[in-house]
Amino acid sequence: MSDTVQKSIAIVVPVYNESQGLDALHQRIRSVMETLPYDWRIVLVDDGSADASWEKIKEISSRDERVKGLMLSRNFGKEMALTAGVELCADVDAVICIDADLQHPPELIPTLAARWEEGYEIVATVREAVADYSPLKKFGSKAFYWVMTRYSDLDIPPSSTDFRLLDRKVVHTLLEFTERTRMFRGLIDWMGFRKTYIPFVAPARDTGQVGYSFKKLFNLAVNSFTSFSLLPLRFTGYLGLTIIALSLLVLGFMLTGNVLWGANYTPMAFFTVFNTFLIGIVLCGLGMVSLYIGHIHTEVVQRPLYIIRERAGRWE
């Protein structure tokens, strides 16, 4: 008779206005997990939904003791919802993060678990294709990953997702991170650890609306870039040097024209060119530096990363 202790896995799901699809999500995850030899639980994190998501989470947790619910006091964003769910599952052997819209197929969980059993501490997924991505969104995604990989401290494969398994070591390391402006998958990739990737094709969304608007995606890209790269500050310096060089060329051309060709540029024209380029340098510098000062301010005030308003299900 084996004395091996059964391993435990928690599935963390950030939820934002997904009430219509939660029953299907719960059923598909449950059907998969019941075939695996693990003690498991599902943690649904309501990130300030405006629909009936929390009521649906409470209903599901009342009929399935494996389902736990967290309701954040407002919409803190997907990065913080993932952080909240993962941090409250530090007692399990592994955590799997998955989206609520079923574009991350739960049927892929056994493959993630199998690679974990092989010794990998991070098992991430990479989208090979997305059924309902527009050309603009595809281009933006490729551009973002190209820039992040080339100009930051991260090595992020194009189209990598938050659908990933994290070993207990990774989760405990995440608990040490205090930064408030965060890209969840960026922090995980920055840690290192033994990592592997699994490709998949994301199906089209069946219910609900896309939770990430263009504005949210843009803000995430800016926050991620300024959190993991100093390129914007370097770019300001390069831009300043370029503007200085161009201004000198223009001024030299104007002086040459006045002396050799009789162009008769007025003193006001010289002043206008010089002043325009000077203002451009100052504004670009202030804009870039302000992004980093904003991050410093966010960290210094030491507000909580998230606030839990209510819990559902049985928490031990």
Side-chain angles (χ1 to χ4, degrees), residues 11-25:
I11 297 92
V12 173
V13 187
V15 176
Y16 182 68
N17 295 340
E18 297 284 358
S19 60
Q20 297 178 19
L22 288 179
D23 279 322
L25 173 74

Side-chain angles (χ1 to χ4, degrees), residues 192-249:
F193 289 105
R194 193 178 178 204
K195 178 167 50 180
T196 187
Y197 295 93
I198 297 173
F200 76 102
V201 176
R205 169 187 279 267
D206 287 332
T207 60
Q209 308 240 340
V210 177
Y212 257 89
S213 63
F214 178 79
K215 180 181 178 181
K216 287 185 177 181
L217 288 171
F218 179 77
N219 289 337
L220 175 62
V222 172
N223 288 336
S224 302
F225 199 52
T226 53
S227 293
F228 291 100
S229 176
L230 294 177
L231 179 65
L233 291 180
R234 294 194 186 103
F235 176 76
T236 302
Y238 300 149
L239 181 62
L241 291 174
T242 302
I243 291 176
I244 290 172
L246 289 174
S247 65
L248 291 175
L249 286 174

Side-chain angles (χ1 to χ4, degrees), residues 78 80 178 216 243 286 288 306:
K78 181 183 177 182
M80 291 307 177
T178 60
K216 287 185 177 181
I243 291 176
L286 288 176
M288 292 296 105
Y306 52 84

Side-chain angles (χ1 to χ4, degrees), residues 130-148:
V130 185
D132 55 358
Y133 258 25
S134 65
L136 178 61
K137 201 166 184 179
K138 289 179 182 177
F139 171 79
S141 177
K142 290 182 179 179
F144 169 74
Y145 284 108
W146 183 84
V147 172
M148 285 295 292

